[in-house]
Amino acid sequence: MSHRSRVYTITMPGQRAVQRQSLPDVIANDIRERILSGELEEGMPIRQDALAVEYDVSRMPIREALKRLDAEGLVVFTTNRGATVVKHSPAEVEEIFDLRTMLETDLFRRSIPRMTEADLIHCETLLEAMEVSYDTNDVGQWGALNSEYHLALYAAADRTLSAELLHRLNLQCDRYVRMHLSVMHMREPARADHRKLLEMARKRLIEEGCAILENHIQRTKQQLLELIAEKKPD
Amino acid sequence: MSHRSRVYTITMPGQRAVQRQSLPDVIANDIRERILSGELEEGMPIRQDALAVEYDVSRMPIREALKRLDAEGLVVFTTNRGATVVKHSPAEVEEIFDLRTMLETDLFRRSIPRMTEADLIHCETLLEAMEVSYDTNDVGQWGALNSEYHLALYAAADRTLSAELLHRLNLQCDRYVRMHLSVMHMREPARADHRKLLEMARKRLIEEGCAILENHIQRTKQQLLELIAEKKPD
DNA sequence: GGACATAAATTTGTATCCAATATACGAGAG
DNA sequence: CTCTCGTATATTGGATACAAATTTATGTCC
C-alpha cells in the first residue's frame, strides 16, 4: 500500500549517477502507471491529500505531478474541484489512433532509408523481448516494449518532436489497449506484423512497410472500438 | 514594467461570467505572450522570484505557470537550475512546420465536406479581420487571427484532439514567425492563399484546397528557414 | 600569478499554514 | 412531503517559511 521512502536516494553509494529526477517526476511516473494500469478509474476524482499521505510527502509535489499529467492529457483539472482521470469518447479513441497512423507512417517513411545495421539489430532485440512478454502474458511489459519497439523503428528518422508527440499519444491510448488487450484476440496478427515491419525495413521497402504499419494500427483501432462498443451497455 | 493587480477581476460589475481562470492560468498566458513576442529571449534563464514580484504573487503560481509552459514546450526545466526559454534548431523548426502540414491537410480534408454555411461565414469574418491587421501591420494580432482562422477552417472536422495538438504546434512556431514576419516579404502571397482556401472550401474542392494549404505552409517554412539561415552568422 | 578548495549568497524545491471555494447535510417554509 | 436556503465540513488554491542544491566569490597553497 505504501510507496515509501524517497525513491530519490536509492543509488548505490559511490555510484556516479545521482538520481536526477525530481520528486514530482517520480510521483508523476508512478501515478501515470496507476492510471494506465486502470487502478485509477476514469472519471474518478483524485484527492491530493490522500495521495500525499500514500507517498509520504506534502501535497505540493503531488500537485505538480498532477499538473504534469494534466498537461499530458491523462487527468483534467476543474478549478477548486481538483483533478479527475480523463475519459475519452470512442470518437476520441479513434482520433488518437488516426493521429498515430499519420505520425508513424511519416516517421517510418523517413526512417527506413536511413536505418543503419545497428538500428536494425536494436529493433531485433526489442522484438525478441516483446515476443517473450507475449508468451509470459505480461501485459504491462508488453505495452512498454511495444511502444519502445515502434519508437526504435523510427529512431533513424531523427525527428525528436514527432517522436515526443507520438509518445504522448501512446500514453493516451495505452490505457484502452491494456484494458482490452487481455482478451488476446488481436495479438497474433499483431505479432506477425511486428516482424514484417522489421523485414520491410531491412529490405528498404518503404511503401510496403508503411502499408503494413497503417494496417497494423488501423486494425488495432478497429478491434479496440468493437470491444469498447460491446462493453458500453453497462 | 509592472503587471499589477490581479488580472483576475476585470469583469464588468453585474456581468454574469465571473472570471473563472485560475491565477496560474492567467500568468501562464501572460508569460507565454512575453515569450512569443520575444521579450523573453531564447536560452534566457527565468528567475521565479523576479516574476513573482513582477506579478505581485508568491512563487507558487509562477511555478505552476512555468510547469504548464514546460509541458507546452515553450520553456524547459533543469532540476535545481530552473527554467529557460527553449531554443529550437532550424531542423526542429522545419519539423514543426512539417507536422503542421500533415495535421492541417488531414483536418482540412475532413472538414470541407462537413462545413455548413455558418462555418463558412465565420471564416469569412475572421479573414476580413485578418486583412485589416495586415494593413495596420499589427503583427501580434495578425498571428492570433491567423491561428484562429486556420482553426475555424477545420472546426467542422470536429477533431478536438487534433485541433488541440495543432494549437500547441502553432505556439511553438509562432515565435519564429513573428520574429521574421516583420520583414513583410512573405505576406502578400499568404494573403492570397488564405482567400483561396476559403474559396476551395466553398466549392468543396477538397484536393485542390489541400494542395494550396500544403503549399502555403511549406512556402512559409521555406522562407522562414532562409531568414533564419541568413541571420544565423551573428 | 594561477588553480583548487572552501565558504557565502542566490535560487530552486518542499513543507506547513491560512484563506477561499465547493459539496453535503439539515432545518425551515411552502 | 418537497424544495430551498443556510450552515458545516472537506478540499483545493496561494502565501510564507525552511531546507537543499547550485553558482559565485574569496582565500590559501603551490
Side-chain angles (χ1 to χ4, degrees):
Chain A
M1 186 63 70
S2 57
H3 296 254
R4 301 280 88 194
S5 76
R6 308 301 153 88
V7 187
Y8 226 61
T9 50
I10 50 169
T11 53
M12 307 271 291
Q15 185 172 338
R16 211 129 199 32
V18 265
Q19 189 82 354
R20 280 245 156 276
Q21 278 189 92
S22 72
L23 251 195
D25 279 324
V26 179
I27 293 172
N29 289 339
D30 198 78
I31 297 178
R32 186 186 301 114
E33 189 49 41
R34 292 171 75 178
I35 292 175
L36 295 182
S37 75
E39 182 188 335
L40 270 48
E41 284 169 35
E42 285 184 341
M44 182 187 272
I46 300 172
R47 305 269 157 247
Q48 300 178 357
D49 202 24
L51 288 176
V53 300
E54 251 189 278
Y55 288 99
D56 191 29
V57 294
S58 85
R59 266 177 34 227
M60 207 70 40
I62 302 285
R63 277 170 62 182
E64 282 205 10
L66 289 176
K67 283 285 178 187
R68 169 156 324 192
L69 296 177
D70 172 56
E72 285 178 14
L74 284 175
V75 308
V76 60
F77 268 82
T78 318
T79 23
N80 292 321
R81 221 174 307 180
T84 57
V85 179
V86 288
K87 181 177 175 63
H88 287 299
S89 67
E92 285 172 329
V93 173
E94 173 158 16
E95 190 178 347
I96 293 169
F97 276 87
D98 288 343
L99 285 170
R100 274 189 56 193
T101 306
M102 261 201 294
L103 267 178
E104 296 201 32
T105 51
D106 179 72
L107 283 169
F108 201 34
R109 182 169 285 114
R110 294 175 191 278
S111 184
I112 290 180
R114 307 181 54 183
M115 284 177 94
T116 65
E117 193 55 36
D119 289 325
L120 292 166
I121 289 172
H122 181 220
C123 291
E124 181 73 41
T125 311
L126 287 169
L127 188 61
E128 277 160 18
M130 194 160 42
E131 300 202 329
V132 170
S133 69
Y134 275 136
D135 299 330
T136 59
N137 213 20
D138 185 339
V139 183
Q141 179 154 35
W142 181 87
L145 283 169
N146 184 38
S147 274
E148 206 181 337
Y149 174 66
H150 277 250
L151 285 174
L153 284 174
Y154 319 138
D158 195 28
R159 289 253 162 171
T160 52
L161 299 176
S162 304
E164 174 63 26
L165 223 56
L166 179 56
H167 181 64
R168 293 265 173 112
L169 287 175
N170 273 322
L171 287 179
Q172 304 272 347
C173 60
D174 214 40
R175 180 155 43 112
Y176 301 100
V177 174
R178 286 201 206 173
M179 270 169 56
H180 297 286
L181 204 63
S182 42
V183 192
M184 283 280 289
H185 291 152
M186 75 219 332
R187 283 163 75 186
E188 278 308 317
R191 180 173 186 160
D193 282 343
H194 284 144
R195 210 152 251 303
K196 272 191 268 178
L197 286 173
L198 186 52
E199 248 177 68
M200 294 302 119
R202 266 229 169 72
K203 295 180 183 163
R204 314 289 176 184
L205 294 172
I206 297 178
E207 290 314 317
E208 290 84 344
C210 286
I212 292 171
L213 182 56
E214 178 166 350
N215 262 309
H216 172 67
I217 302 174
Q218 289 293 317
R219 172 153 27 83
T220 306
K221 176 186 91 173
Q222 216 51 53
Q223 293 176 319
L224 195 57
L225 286 174
E226 282 165 23
L227 287 171
I228 289 176
E230 275 176 33
K231 246 190 179 172
K232 201 71 184 183
D234 53 318
Chain B
M1 187 64 67
S2 57
H3 294 254
R4 301 278 88 192
S5 75
R6 309 298 154 87
V7 187
Y8 226 60
T9 50
I10 49 169
T11 53
M12 306 272 291
Q15 188 170 334
R16 216 137 195 24
V18 265
Q19 191 81 352
R20 280 240 154 280
Q21 274 189 94
S22 71
L23 252 195
D25 278 325
V26 179
I27 293 172
N29 289 339
D30 198 77
I31 297 178
R32 185 186 302 116
E33 190 49 41
R34 292 169 78 178
I35 292 174
L36 295 182
S37 76
E39 183 188 334
L40 271 49
E41 284 169 35
E42 286 183 340
M44 180 186 274
I46 299 173
R47 306 273 158 240
Q48 300 177 357
D49 203 25
L51 288 176
V53 300
E54 251 190 278
Y55 288 99
D56 190 29
V57 294
S58 83
R59 267 177 33 230
M60 208 71 39
I62 302 286
R63 286 175 61 81
E64 282 204 13
L66 288 177
K67 285 282 179 189
R68 169 155 324 191
L69 295 176
D70 172 56
E72 285 177 14
L74 284 174
V75 308
V76 60
F77 267 82
T78 318
T79 21
N80 293 322
R81 220 173 307 180
T84 58
V85 180
V86 287
K87 182 179 175 60
H88 287 297
S89 68
E92 284 172 328
V93 173
E94 175 159 16
E95 190 178 348
I96 292 170
F97 277 87
D98 288 344
L99 285 170
R100 273 189 56 192
T101 306
M102 261 200 296
L103 266 179
E104 296 201 29
T105 51
D106 179 72
L107 282 171
F108 201 33
R109 183 169 284 112
R110 294 177 191 276
S111 184
I112 291 181
R114 305 181 55 182
M115 283 176 94
T116 65
E117 192 54 36
D119 290 323
L120 292 167
I121 289 173
H122 182 219
C123 291
E124 181 72 42
T125 311
L126 288 170
L127 188 60
E128 279 159 19
M130 193 160 42
E131 300 203 329
V132 170
S133 69
Y134 276 136
D135 300 329
T136 59
N137 213 22
D138 185 339
V139 183
Q141 179 154 32
W142 181 86
L145 283 169
N146 184 38
S147 275
E148 206 181 338
Y149 174 66
H150 277 250
L151 286 175
L153 284 173
Y154 317 139
D158 195 28
R159 289 252 163 173
T160 53
L161 299 176
S162 304
E164 175 63 24
L165 223 56
L166 180 57
H167 182 64
R168 294 264 172 112
L169 288 174
N170 273 321
L171 288 179
Q172 304 272 348
C173 59
D174 214 40
R175 181 156 43 115
Y176 301 99
V177 174
R178 286 201 207 176
M179 271 168 55
H180 297 286
L181 204 62
S182 42
V183 192
M184 283 280 289
H185 290 153
M186 78 225 320
R187 284 162 73 186
E188 279 309 316
R191 180 174 185 158
D193 282 344
H194 283 143
R195 207 151 252 306
K196 272 192 267 176
L197 287 174
L198 186 52
E199 249 177 67
M200 293 302 117
R202 266 231 167 74
K203 296 180 184 161
R204 315 289 175 182
L205 293 173
I206 298 178
E207 289 314 316
E208 289 83 346
C210 286
I212 293 172
L213 182 57
E214 178 166 351
N215 262 309
H216 172 66
I217 301 174
Q218 288 293 316
R219 173 153 26 84
T220 306
K221 176 185 91 174
Q222 215 50 51
Q223 292 176 320
L224 196 58
L225 286 174
E226 283 165 22
L227 287 172
I228 289 175
E230 275 177 32
K231 247 192 177 168
K232 202 73 186 180
D234 52 316

